[in-house]
Amino acid sequence: MASAVSMGELVALRPLLDWLPGETLFSLCSRYHFISGHRTPAQTCATLFGSHRAGSAHDVPSHVQTLVDRTHGALGTAREIILERTLLPFYFPFHPAPKSEHWLTQIATGSSPVMKAQLGLAASQFGASHPLKACPVCMQLDQSGYGVAYWHVEHQVPGVHICQVHRKPLLVATDKVSGRDRFGWILPQQARLQSSMDEEFFWNGDHHLLAESALAFWRLPRPFAFSPEKLDKLYLSELVRLEIAHHVTSRIDQIRFDQTLYGVIAANSLTKFWPWLASTKGLRSLSARLRRMVHPTSPRISRHPLIHLFWIALLFDSWQDFWSAYNNNEYLSLYDIAPAGKTTGPTMKGVGDSGDPRRARLVEAVRSGQSISMAAKQSGVTVATAMSWAAREGIASPRRPKVLSPDVRVQLIKQLQRGIDKTIAASAAGISVESVTRVLLTEPGLHAQWREARFSRMQEQSRGSWRKIVEAFPTSSSSDWRKLDPAVYAWLYRNDRTWLQTSIRERSEPLAVATQRRDWKTRDAVLAQAVRLTALEWHVAHPGKRMTIGIICETVGGLRQKLSAIAKLPLTRMALLNACSHSLAKASTSQKTVL
Ligand SMILES: [Zn+2]
């Protein structure tokens, strides 16, 4: 019985159970499941976690301490495994530190069946499942580098829809979502992976901001926790700054808010991930949920990180912008902080600040015709404070212009000159895409500059992606390169053909050599797998004994003859080293020389 496997045997299997870079706990266990030859997922659960149903959830693990004990801590502590090898730290910064600690203990020592409900996932429109995700380029590289495609933890974090390394849209697995297979073990090669978004959408969107911020949440050190009240105030102050909320009453211009929100959803093709956002009802419901958080009299907090990702995409240009704004606390000076438990909304503090010497200077400057934002800058106060001081003196706030204000127009033109997408520019300026097009076509020379800048960006991205493929697979044929990224190939073929053809012509070596190399690669992968399986069977049959190359050579046909060419077989070399790592210290000189 697998459940009767002793600790000693698991420790002997340890070289085969080492982490791959950035691998998830679920991935390592799935690899173990396939190498072990167990017939049912329950056998692997029992061997690793001590119970037939334990540990196979790919998002919220359980009984991690049992795995740690059975591997004598070789994989790290339970805490390290949960914090570094699962997506869960994504949720922790939005909950009080003691609560997160409680979950950590529960998952380490047993299970936490109510954790998803306590995180508010079950009740949220975003759902409680975390579909497995994989990058097609990482899969290829892992297959050739490690002999197996595995699940990367950074791809699994909610809100991450692209691979940050290869800038490719992630593929989404339909397995493990519900039904009986949710108890199974699976690796990317066996999963039913579907493309999550069109390349065209991908190039136009701003997925990097979402992915960057989601990963930043995931990486925040323990025991950091956001103050939900501070976040709500930060969002409101930004809305005031962007003139989406009124500077005195804090009331939100719902039409502008919804337009901006829609811009973010469209630019990031978020309806692909959350189809309910495509309906008017879904959009309204999200808008209402966000606006409730900045309600002037009874704001509500939200502890769902995805809701905060929406805010960041709505209001900030980068994670860094958001993070410095959150930490500099400047926005708090705009409001009286309501005592804990009191539900009255924030009230503008600057309004009654008649003693501040800057106030008279600022009011004077605005009266003499200076713009509010310029006067605010010169006085060293925020625009929101400047507006409230001016309003107190009876100076009407500038009405939102029917045409673009000169400041916004200058900003918009700068962004368009850099080749920014029209949808994003429209969202940032709070105007329609049609208005952006009008500016593009009416400002002399701007349309040509915009097209040129967009071309350069696409060219840089496409050439970069192509170079990475060529470098990663130097001996593959150009048609193989093309298959690895058809969209990049198509773009280069249409727009940058001379460069593309040169890169293919100037490949590092002739094709005949490449074919030979490919044969070695295939041979290497097959031999390495044979070595791993032989080692596994031998360790199970001889717990605690030392493995030697001689023993492996007796079983793996043709291996002995290949040892003289081991330099050409890196995967086999690695598999041999792993298999014999217990005995290497005392290994014979000849064995050391070979490896
Ligand atoms: Zn990747």
PDB file of all heavy atoms in Angstrom, residues 239 244 252-266 277 280-291 310-311 314 427 430-431:
ATOM      1  N   LEU A 239      -9.425  60.142  -7.414  1.00  0.00           N
ATOM      2  CA  LEU A 239     -10.612  60.468  -8.218  1.00  0.00           C
ATOM      3  C   LEU A 239     -10.839  61.980  -8.234  1.00  0.00           C
ATOM      4  O   LEU A 239     -11.219  62.556  -9.250  1.00  0.00           O
ATOM      5  CB  LEU A 239     -11.852  59.757  -7.654  1.00  0.00           C
ATOM      6  CG  LEU A 239     -11.932  58.249  -7.895  1.00  0.00           C
ATOM      7  CD1 LEU A 239     -13.117  57.652  -7.137  1.00  0.00           C
ATOM      8  CD2 LEU A 239     -12.070  57.932  -9.386  1.00  0.00           C
ATOM      9  N   ILE A 244     -12.910  63.157 -11.390  1.00  0.00           N
ATOM     10  CA  ILE A 244     -14.027  62.214 -11.553  1.00  0.00           C
ATOM     11  C   ILE A 244     -14.917  62.307 -10.310  1.00  0.00           C
ATOM     12  O   ILE A 244     -16.096  62.023 -10.358  1.00  0.00           O
ATOM     13  CB  ILE A 244     -13.501  60.775 -11.772  1.00  0.00           C
ATOM     14  CG1 ILE A 244     -12.717  60.715 -13.088  1.00  0.00           C
ATOM     15  CG2 ILE A 244     -14.645  59.765 -11.819  1.00  0.00           C
ATOM     16  CD1 ILE A 244     -12.040  59.396 -13.371  1.00  0.00           C
ATOM     17  N   ILE A 252     -19.263  61.249  -6.950  1.00  0.00           N
ATOM     18  CA  ILE A 252     -18.609  60.757  -8.164  1.00  0.00           C
ATOM     19  C   ILE A 252     -19.471  61.015  -9.392  1.00  0.00           C
ATOM     20  O   ILE A 252     -20.689  60.851  -9.350  1.00  0.00           O
ATOM     21  CB  ILE A 252     -18.333  59.249  -8.028  1.00  0.00           C
ATOM     22  CG1 ILE A 252     -17.246  59.038  -6.980  1.00  0.00           C
ATOM     23  CG2 ILE A 252     -17.905  58.635  -9.345  1.00  0.00           C
ATOM     24  CD1 ILE A 252     -16.926  57.619  -6.713  1.00  0.00           C
ATOM     25  N   ASP A 253     -18.821  61.444 -10.452  1.00  0.00           N
ATOM     26  CA  ASP A 253     -19.494  61.576 -11.744  1.00  0.00           C
ATOM     27  C   ASP A 253     -19.580  60.162 -12.327  1.00  0.00           C
ATOM     28  O   ASP A 253     -18.606  59.638 -12.869  1.00  0.00           O
ATOM     29  CB  ASP A 253     -18.649  62.492 -12.636  1.00  0.00           C
ATOM     30  CG  ASP A 253     -19.248  62.669 -14.019  1.00  0.00           C
ATOM     31  OD1 ASP A 253     -20.035  61.793 -14.437  1.00  0.00           O
ATOM     32  OD2 ASP A 253     -18.922  63.674 -14.668  1.00  0.00           O
ATOM     33  N   GLN A 254     -20.768  59.558 -12.177  1.00  0.00           N
ATOM     34  CA  GLN A 254     -20.874  58.129 -12.499  1.00  0.00           C
ATOM     35  C   GLN A 254     -20.611  57.839 -13.977  1.00  0.00           C
ATOM     36  O   GLN A 254     -20.008  56.829 -14.325  1.00  0.00           O
ATOM     37  CB  GLN A 254     -22.256  57.600 -12.103  1.00  0.00           C
ATOM     38  CG  GLN A 254     -22.271  56.074 -12.110  1.00  0.00           C
ATOM     39  CD  GLN A 254     -23.648  55.512 -11.865  1.00  0.00           C
ATOM     40  OE1 GLN A 254     -24.439  56.121 -11.160  1.00  0.00           O
ATOM     41  NE2 GLN A 254     -23.933  54.360 -12.447  1.00  0.00           N
ATOM     42  N   ILE A 255     -21.050  58.755 -14.841  1.00  0.00           N
ATOM     43  CA  ILE A 255     -20.870  58.493 -16.276  1.00  0.00           C
ATOM     44  C   ILE A 255     -19.382  58.433 -16.610  1.00  0.00           C
ATOM     45  O   ILE A 255     -18.903  57.513 -17.263  1.00  0.00           O
ATOM     46  CB  ILE A 255     -21.587  59.577 -17.115  1.00  0.00           C
ATOM     47  CG1 ILE A 255     -23.095  59.444 -16.881  1.00  0.00           C
ATOM     48  CG2 ILE A 255     -21.251  59.435 -18.597  1.00  0.00           C
ATOM     49  CD1 ILE A 255     -23.934  60.500 -17.541  1.00  0.00           C
ATOM     50  N   ARG A 256     -18.633  59.406 -16.085  1.00  0.00           N
ATOM     51  CA  ARG A 256     -17.179  59.403 -16.363  1.00  0.00           C
ATOM     52  C   ARG A 256     -16.501  58.203 -15.724  1.00  0.00           C
ATOM     53  O   ARG A 256     -15.600  57.596 -16.294  1.00  0.00           O
ATOM     54  CB  ARG A 256     -16.540  60.698 -15.822  1.00  0.00           C
ATOM     55  CG  ARG A 256     -16.670  61.840 -16.793  1.00  0.00           C
ATOM     56  CD  ARG A 256     -15.722  62.948 -16.426  1.00  0.00           C
ATOM     57  NE  ARG A 256     -14.355  62.683 -16.849  1.00  0.00           N
ATOM     58  CZ  ARG A 256     -13.307  63.347 -16.387  1.00  0.00           C
ATOM     59  NH1 ARG A 256     -13.460  64.270 -15.482  1.00  0.00           N
ATOM     60  NH2 ARG A 256     -12.104  63.074 -16.824  1.00  0.00           N
ATOM     61  N   PHE A 257     -16.948  57.872 -14.514  1.00  0.00           N
ATOM     62  CA  PHE A 257     -16.350  56.732 -13.818  1.00  0.00           C
ATOM     63  C   PHE A 257     -16.561  55.455 -14.643  1.00  0.00           C
ATOM     64  O   PHE A 257     -15.631  54.691 -14.890  1.00  0.00           O
ATOM     65  CB  PHE A 257     -16.982  56.582 -12.427  1.00  0.00           C
ATOM     66  CG  PHE A 257     -16.354  55.489 -11.603  1.00  0.00           C
ATOM     67  CD1 PHE A 257     -15.216  55.732 -10.851  1.00  0.00           C
ATOM     68  CD2 PHE A 257     -16.898  54.209 -11.588  1.00  0.00           C
ATOM     69  CE1 PHE A 257     -14.622  54.727 -10.100  1.00  0.00           C
ATOM     70  CE2 PHE A 257     -16.313  53.194 -10.846  1.00  0.00           C
ATOM     71  CZ  PHE A 257     -15.177  53.453 -10.098  1.00  0.00           C
ATOM     72  N   ASP A 258     -17.818  55.249 -15.091  1.00  0.00           N
ATOM     73  CA  ASP A 258     -18.124  54.033 -15.855  1.00  0.00           C
ATOM     74  C   ASP A 258     -17.360  54.003 -17.177  1.00  0.00           C
ATOM     75  O   ASP A 258     -16.894  52.954 -17.609  1.00  0.00           O
ATOM     76  CB  ASP A 258     -19.635  53.927 -16.112  1.00  0.00           C
ATOM     77  CG  ASP A 258     -20.380  53.515 -14.847  1.00  0.00           C
ATOM     78  OD1 ASP A 258     -19.703  53.245 -13.829  1.00  0.00           O
ATOM     79  OD2 ASP A 258     -21.624  53.475 -14.869  1.00  0.00           O
ATOM     80  N   GLN A 259     -17.238  55.187 -17.797  1.00  0.00           N
ATOM     81  CA  GLN A 259     -16.490  55.245 -19.070  1.00  0.00           C
ATOM     82  C   GLN A 259     -15.041  54.804 -18.854  1.00  0.00           C
ATOM     83  O   GLN A 259     -14.480  54.029 -19.613  1.00  0.00           O
ATOM     84  CB  GLN A 259     -16.484  56.675 -19.611  1.00  0.00           C
ATOM     85  CG  GLN A 259     -17.683  57.010 -20.473  1.00  0.00           C
ATOM     86  CD  GLN A 259     -17.685  58.481 -20.871  1.00  0.00           C
ATOM     87  OE1 GLN A 259     -16.831  59.255 -20.429  1.00  0.00           O
ATOM     88  NE2 GLN A 259     -18.651  58.857 -21.684  1.00  0.00           N
ATOM     89  N   THR A 260     -14.437  55.322 -17.781  1.00  0.00           N
ATOM     90  CA  THR A 260     -13.039  54.990 -17.498  1.00  0.00           C
ATOM     91  C   THR A 260     -12.904  53.504 -17.181  1.00  0.00           C
ATOM     92  O   THR A 260     -11.997  52.823 -17.662  1.00  0.00           O
ATOM     93  CB  THR A 260     -12.524  55.825 -16.307  1.00  0.00           C
ATOM     94  OG1 THR A 260     -12.934  57.164 -16.497  1.00  0.00           O
ATOM     95  CG2 THR A 260     -11.019  55.775 -16.206  1.00  0.00           C
ATOM     96  N   LEU A 261     -13.857  52.997 -16.375  1.00  0.00           N
ATOM     97  CA  LEU A 261     -13.825  51.578 -16.011  1.00  0.00           C
ATOM     98  C   LEU A 261     -13.971  50.716 -17.262  1.00  0.00           C
ATOM     99  O   LEU A 261     -13.243  49.735 -17.455  1.00  0.00           O
ATOM    100  CB  LEU A 261     -14.963  51.281 -15.020  1.00  0.00           C
ATOM    101  CG  LEU A 261     -15.103  49.837 -14.547  1.00  0.00           C
ATOM    102  CD1 LEU A 261     -13.853  49.382 -13.808  1.00  0.00           C
ATOM    103  CD2 LEU A 261     -16.319  49.684 -13.629  1.00  0.00           C
ATOM    104  N   TYR A 262     -14.901  51.111 -18.125  1.00  0.00           N
ATOM    105  CA  TYR A 262     -15.101  50.347 -19.353  1.00  0.00           C
ATOM    106  C   TYR A 262     -13.823  50.352 -20.197  1.00  0.00           C
ATOM    107  O   TYR A 262     -13.447  49.339 -20.787  1.00  0.00           O
ATOM    108  CB  TYR A 262     -16.285  50.914 -20.144  1.00  0.00           C
ATOM    109  CG  TYR A 262     -16.530  50.122 -21.404  1.00  0.00           C
ATOM    110  CD1 TYR A 262     -17.099  48.854 -21.333  1.00  0.00           C
ATOM    111  CD2 TYR A 262     -16.139  50.612 -22.644  1.00  0.00           C
ATOM    112  CE1 TYR A 262     -17.275  48.094 -22.469  1.00  0.00           C
ATOM    113  CE2 TYR A 262     -16.311  49.859 -23.788  1.00  0.00           C
ATOM    114  CZ  TYR A 262     -16.878  48.601 -23.698  1.00  0.00           C
ATOM    115  OH  TYR A 262     -17.031  47.851 -24.824  1.00  0.00           O
ATOM    116  N   GLY A 263     -13.145  51.520 -20.219  1.00  0.00           N
ATOM    117  CA  GLY A 263     -11.884  51.625 -20.972  1.00  0.00           C
ATOM    118  C   GLY A 263     -10.858  50.622 -20.471  1.00  0.00           C
ATOM    119  O   GLY A 263     -10.194  49.950 -21.253  1.00  0.00           O
ATOM    120  N   VAL A 264     -10.757  50.486 -19.144  1.00  0.00           N
ATOM    121  CA  VAL A 264      -9.789  49.543 -18.560  1.00  0.00           C
ATOM    122  C   VAL A 264     -10.158  48.104 -18.930  1.00  0.00           C
ATOM    123  O   VAL A 264      -9.304  47.301 -19.321  1.00  0.00           O
ATOM    124  CB  VAL A 264      -9.749  49.704 -17.014  1.00  0.00           C
ATOM    125  CG1 VAL A 264      -8.995  48.554 -16.363  1.00  0.00           C
ATOM    126  CG2 VAL A 264      -9.104  51.025 -16.646  1.00  0.00           C
ATOM    127  N   ILE A 265     -11.453  47.784 -18.842  1.00  0.00           N
ATOM    128  CA  ILE A 265     -11.894  46.413 -19.145  1.00  0.00           C
ATOM    129  C   ILE A 265     -11.635  46.083 -20.611  1.00  0.00           C
ATOM    130  O   ILE A 265     -11.106  45.018 -20.946  1.00  0.00           O
ATOM    131  CB  ILE A 265     -13.396  46.247 -18.805  1.00  0.00           C
ATOM    132  CG1 ILE A 265     -13.581  46.338 -17.290  1.00  0.00           C
ATOM    133  CG2 ILE A 265     -13.939  44.924 -19.332  1.00  0.00           C
ATOM    134  CD1 ILE A 265     -15.018  46.457 -16.850  1.00  0.00           C
ATOM    135  N   ALA A 266     -11.972  47.052 -21.496  1.00  0.00           N
ATOM    136  CA  ALA A 266     -11.805  46.798 -22.929  1.00  0.00           C
ATOM    137  C   ALA A 266     -10.323  46.698 -23.291  1.00  0.00           C
ATOM    138  O   ALA A 266      -9.910  45.786 -24.006  1.00  0.00           O
ATOM    139  CB  ALA A 266     -12.478  47.911 -23.724  1.00  0.00           C
ATOM    140  N   LEU A 277     -18.459  40.323 -17.067  1.00  0.00           N
ATOM    141  CA  LEU A 277     -18.191  41.756 -17.242  1.00  0.00           C
ATOM    142  C   LEU A 277     -18.694  42.270 -18.591  1.00  0.00           C
ATOM    143  O   LEU A 277     -18.781  43.470 -18.817  1.00  0.00           O
ATOM    144  CB  LEU A 277     -16.681  42.014 -17.151  1.00  0.00           C
ATOM    145  CG  LEU A 277     -16.087  42.172 -15.759  1.00  0.00           C
ATOM    146  CD1 LEU A 277     -14.583  42.318 -15.842  1.00  0.00           C
ATOM    147  CD2 LEU A 277     -16.688  43.383 -15.061  1.00  0.00           C
ATOM    148  N   THR A 280     -24.151  44.466 -19.424  1.00  0.00           N
ATOM    149  CA  THR A 280     -24.355  45.765 -18.774  1.00  0.00           C
ATOM    150  C   THR A 280     -24.554  45.566 -17.278  1.00  0.00           C
ATOM    151  O   THR A 280     -24.044  46.333 -16.458  1.00  0.00           O
ATOM    152  CB  THR A 280     -25.612  46.444 -19.365  1.00  0.00           C
ATOM    153  OG1 THR A 280     -25.533  46.306 -20.773  1.00  0.00           O
ATOM    154  CG2 THR A 280     -25.690  47.894 -18.995  1.00  0.00           C
ATOM    155  N   LYS A 281     -25.281  44.485 -16.945  1.00  0.00           N
ATOM    156  CA  LYS A 281     -25.558  44.214 -15.532  1.00  0.00           C
ATOM    157  C   LYS A 281     -24.252  43.972 -14.757  1.00  0.00           C
ATOM    158  O   LYS A 281     -24.051  44.512 -13.669  1.00  0.00           O
ATOM    159  CB  LYS A 281     -26.460  42.969 -15.442  1.00  0.00           C
ATOM    160  CG  LYS A 281     -27.098  42.780 -14.098  1.00  0.00           C
ATOM    161  CD  LYS A 281     -28.015  41.561 -14.120  1.00  0.00           C
ATOM    162  CE  LYS A 281     -28.173  41.036 -12.699  1.00  0.00           C
ATOM    163  NZ  LYS A 281     -28.397  39.611 -12.651  1.00  0.00           N
ATOM    164  N   GLY A 282     -23.366  43.179 -15.378  1.00  0.00           N
ATOM    165  CA  GLY A 282     -22.092  42.860 -14.725  1.00  0.00           C
ATOM    166  C   GLY A 282     -21.246  44.105 -14.522  1.00  0.00           C
ATOM    167  O   GLY A 282     -20.675  44.327 -13.455  1.00  0.00           O
ATOM    168  N   LEU A 283     -21.197  44.939 -15.563  1.00  0.00           N
ATOM    169  CA  LEU A 283     -20.400  46.166 -15.499  1.00  0.00           C
ATOM    170  C   LEU A 283     -20.943  47.097 -14.423  1.00  0.00           C
ATOM    171  O   LEU A 283     -20.197  47.658 -13.617  1.00  0.00           O
ATOM    172  CB  LEU A 283     -20.421  46.851 -16.868  1.00  0.00           C
ATOM    173  CG  LEU A 283     -19.521  48.065 -17.012  1.00  0.00           C
ATOM    174  CD1 LEU A 283     -18.056  47.664 -16.925  1.00  0.00           C
ATOM    175  CD2 LEU A 283     -19.776  48.760 -18.342  1.00  0.00           C
ATOM    176  N   ARG A 284     -22.296  47.216 -14.399  1.00  0.00           N
ATOM    177  CA  ARG A 284     -22.931  48.096 -13.403  1.00  0.00           C
ATOM    178  C   ARG A 284     -22.629  47.615 -11.993  1.00  0.00           C
ATOM    179  O   ARG A 284     -22.356  48.397 -11.094  1.00  0.00           O
ATOM    180  CB  ARG A 284     -24.456  48.093 -13.613  1.00  0.00           C
ATOM    181  CG  ARG A 284     -24.883  49.089 -14.642  1.00  0.00           C
ATOM    182  CD  ARG A 284     -26.343  49.486 -14.429  1.00  0.00           C
ATOM    183  NE  ARG A 284     -26.813  50.159 -15.624  1.00  0.00           N
ATOM    184  CZ  ARG A 284     -27.885  49.809 -16.314  1.00  0.00           C
ATOM    185  NH1 ARG A 284     -28.621  48.794 -15.912  1.00  0.00           N
ATOM    186  NH2 ARG A 284     -28.226  50.472 -17.385  1.00  0.00           N
ATOM    187  N   SER A 285     -22.691  46.291 -11.842  1.00  0.00           N
ATOM    188  CA  SER A 285     -22.489  45.743 -10.505  1.00  0.00           C
ATOM    189  C   SER A 285     -21.046  45.985 -10.031  1.00  0.00           C
ATOM    190  O   SER A 285     -20.813  46.340  -8.879  1.00  0.00           O
ATOM    191  CB  SER A 285     -22.871  44.265 -10.536  1.00  0.00           C
ATOM    192  OG  SER A 285     -21.991  43.509  -9.802  1.00  0.00           O
ATOM    193  N   LEU A 286     -20.069  45.822 -10.940  1.00  0.00           N
ATOM    194  CA  LEU A 286     -18.675  46.084 -10.560  1.00  0.00           C
ATOM    195  C   LEU A 286     -18.488  47.569 -10.244  1.00  0.00           C
ATOM    196  O   LEU A 286     -17.862  47.939  -9.245  1.00  0.00           O
ATOM    197  CB  LEU A 286     -17.723  45.661 -11.685  1.00  0.00           C
ATOM    198  CG  LEU A 286     -16.248  45.983 -11.427  1.00  0.00           C
ATOM    199  CD1 LEU A 286     -15.707  45.181 -10.246  1.00  0.00           C
ATOM    200  CD2 LEU A 286     -15.389  45.704 -12.663  1.00  0.00           C
ATOM    201  N   SER A 287     -19.068  48.419 -11.106  1.00  0.00           N
ATOM    202  CA  SER A 287     -18.953  49.862 -10.899  1.00  0.00           C
ATOM    203  C   SER A 287     -19.522  50.245  -9.531  1.00  0.00           C
ATOM    204  O   SER A 287     -18.917  51.003  -8.774  1.00  0.00           O
ATOM    205  CB  SER A 287     -19.690  50.592 -12.028  1.00  0.00           C
ATOM    206  OG  SER A 287     -19.922  51.925 -11.670  1.00  0.00           O
ATOM    207  N   ALA A 288     -20.706  49.669  -9.197  1.00  0.00           N
ATOM    208  CA  ALA A 288     -21.340  49.999  -7.917  1.00  0.00           C
ATOM    209  C   ALA A 288     -20.451  49.542  -6.756  1.00  0.00           C
ATOM    210  O   ALA A 288     -20.285  50.252  -5.768  1.00  0.00           O
ATOM    211  CB  ALA A 288     -22.707  49.330  -7.832  1.00  0.00           C
ATOM    212  N   ARG A 289     -19.868  48.351  -6.921  1.00  0.00           N
ATOM    213  CA  ARG A 289     -19.024  47.816  -5.843  1.00  0.00           C
ATOM    214  C   ARG A 289     -17.807  48.717  -5.605  1.00  0.00           C
ATOM    215  O   ARG A 289     -17.419  48.987  -4.472  1.00  0.00           O
ATOM    216  CB  ARG A 289     -18.574  46.404  -6.223  1.00  0.00           C
ATOM    217  CG  ARG A 289     -17.841  45.727  -5.115  1.00  0.00           C
ATOM    218  CD  ARG A 289     -17.660  44.255  -5.352  1.00  0.00           C
ATOM    219  NE  ARG A 289     -16.812  43.705  -4.287  1.00  0.00           N
ATOM    220  CZ  ARG A 289     -16.318  42.497  -4.288  1.00  0.00           C
ATOM    221  NH1 ARG A 289     -16.587  41.678  -5.284  1.00  0.00           N
ATOM    222  NH2 ARG A 289     -15.563  42.077  -3.299  1.00  0.00           N
ATOM    223  N   LEU A 290     -17.214  49.187  -6.705  1.00  0.00           N
ATOM    224  CA  LEU A 290     -16.048  50.068  -6.582  1.00  0.00           C
ATOM    225  C   LEU A 290     -16.453  51.412  -5.977  1.00  0.00           C
ATOM    226  O   LEU A 290     -15.787  51.938  -5.086  1.00  0.00           O
ATOM    227  CB  LEU A 290     -15.405  50.284  -7.959  1.00  0.00           C
ATOM    228  CG  LEU A 290     -14.717  49.065  -8.593  1.00  0.00           C
ATOM    229  CD1 LEU A 290     -14.411  49.329 -10.061  1.00  0.00           C
ATOM    230  CD2 LEU A 290     -13.429  48.721  -7.859  1.00  0.00           C
ATOM    231  N   ARG A 291     -17.572  51.956  -6.465  1.00  0.00           N
ATOM    232  CA  ARG A 291     -17.972  53.288  -5.999  1.00  0.00           C
ATOM    233  C   ARG A 291     -18.384  53.285  -4.526  1.00  0.00           C
ATOM    234  O   ARG A 291     -18.209  54.275  -3.829  1.00  0.00           O
ATOM    235  CB  ARG A 291     -19.096  53.841  -6.886  1.00  0.00           C
ATOM    236  CG  ARG A 291     -18.569  54.350  -8.241  1.00  0.00           C
ATOM    237  CD  ARG A 291     -19.654  54.961  -9.098  1.00  0.00           C
ATOM    238  NE  ARG A 291     -20.519  53.954  -9.690  1.00  0.00           N
ATOM    239  CZ  ARG A 291     -21.787  53.774  -9.359  1.00  0.00           C
ATOM    240  NH1 ARG A 291     -22.360  54.528  -8.438  1.00  0.00           N
ATOM    241  NH2 ARG A 291     -22.504  52.828  -9.939  1.00  0.00           N
ATOM    242  N   PHE A 310      -8.286  46.491 -10.010  1.00  0.00           N
ATOM    243  CA  PHE A 310      -9.088  47.376 -10.861  1.00  0.00           C
ATOM    244  C   PHE A 310      -8.808  48.837 -10.520  1.00  0.00           C
ATOM    245  O   PHE A 310      -8.637  49.670 -11.395  1.00  0.00           O
ATOM    246  CB  PHE A 310     -10.585  47.082 -10.682  1.00  0.00           C
ATOM    247  CG  PHE A 310     -11.091  46.030 -11.623  1.00  0.00           C
ATOM    248  CD1 PHE A 310     -11.205  44.714 -11.221  1.00  0.00           C
ATOM    249  CD2 PHE A 310     -11.432  46.347 -12.921  1.00  0.00           C
ATOM    250  CE1 PHE A 310     -11.654  43.731 -12.087  1.00  0.00           C
ATOM    251  CE2 PHE A 310     -11.883  45.380 -13.804  1.00  0.00           C
ATOM    252  CZ  PHE A 310     -11.997  44.074 -13.378  1.00  0.00           C
ATOM    253  N   TRP A 311      -8.746  49.141  -9.225  1.00  0.00           N
ATOM    254  CA  TRP A 311      -8.471  50.525  -8.814  1.00  0.00           C
ATOM    255  C   TRP A 311      -7.112  50.989  -9.336  1.00  0.00           C
ATOM    256  O   TRP A 311      -6.966  52.108  -9.818  1.00  0.00           O
ATOM    257  CB  TRP A 311      -8.499  50.643  -7.280  1.00  0.00           C
ATOM    258  CG  TRP A 311      -9.871  50.830  -6.708  1.00  0.00           C
ATOM    259  CD1 TRP A 311     -10.539  49.962  -5.899  1.00  0.00           C
ATOM    260  CD2 TRP A 311     -10.747  51.950  -6.903  1.00  0.00           C
ATOM    261  NE1 TRP A 311     -11.770  50.466  -5.568  1.00  0.00           N
ATOM    262  CE2 TRP A 311     -11.932  51.695  -6.172  1.00  0.00           C
ATOM    263  CE3 TRP A 311     -10.656  53.144  -7.618  1.00  0.00           C
ATOM    264  CZ2 TRP A 311     -13.000  52.581  -6.129  1.00  0.00           C
ATOM    265  CZ3 TRP A 311     -11.733  54.035  -7.582  1.00  0.00           C
ATOM    266  CH2 TRP A 311     -12.878  53.745  -6.847  1.00  0.00           C
ATOM    267  N   LEU A 314      -7.278  51.698 -12.893  1.00  0.00           N
ATOM    268  CA  LEU A 314      -8.078  52.898 -13.162  1.00  0.00           C
ATOM    269  C   LEU A 314      -7.297  54.185 -12.895  1.00  0.00           C
ATOM    270  O   LEU A 314      -7.439  55.164 -13.612  1.00  0.00           O
ATOM    271  CB  LEU A 314      -9.302  52.914 -12.237  1.00  0.00           C
ATOM    272  CG  LEU A 314     -10.557  52.163 -12.650  1.00  0.00           C
ATOM    273  CD1 LEU A 314     -11.516  52.080 -11.472  1.00  0.00           C
ATOM    274  CD2 LEU A 314     -11.246  52.882 -13.803  1.00  0.00           C
ATOM    275  N   SER A 427      -8.969  56.504 -22.070  1.00  0.00           N
ATOM    276  CA  SER A 427      -9.298  56.221 -20.685  1.00  0.00           C
ATOM    277  C   SER A 427      -8.543  57.163 -19.748  1.00  0.00           C
ATOM    278  O   SER A 427      -9.107  57.701 -18.797  1.00  0.00           O
ATOM    279  CB  SER A 427      -8.963  54.758 -20.410  1.00  0.00           C
ATOM    280  OG  SER A 427      -8.862  54.526 -19.061  1.00  0.00           O
ATOM    281  N   GLY A 430      -9.992  60.575 -19.939  1.00  0.00           N
ATOM    282  CA  GLY A 430     -11.412  60.628 -19.601  1.00  0.00           C
ATOM    283  C   GLY A 430     -12.268  61.099 -20.763  1.00  0.00           C
ATOM    284  O   GLY A 430     -13.260  61.808 -20.576  1.00  0.00           O
ATOM    285  N   ILE A 431     -11.866  60.754 -21.991  1.00  0.00           N
ATOM    286  CA  ILE A 431     -12.653  61.141 -23.163  1.00  0.00           C
ATOM    287  C   ILE A 431     -12.899  59.901 -24.023  1.00  0.00           C
ATOM    288  O   ILE A 431     -12.383  58.828 -23.713  1.00  0.00           O
ATOM    289  CB  ILE A 431     -11.926  62.222 -24.009  1.00  0.00           C
ATOM    290  CG1 ILE A 431     -10.519  61.714 -24.400  1.00  0.00           C
ATOM    291  CG2 ILE A 431     -11.834  63.525 -23.250  1.00  0.00           C
ATOM    292  CD1 ILE A 431      -9.794  62.639 -25.343  1.00  0.00           C
TER     293      ILE A 431
END
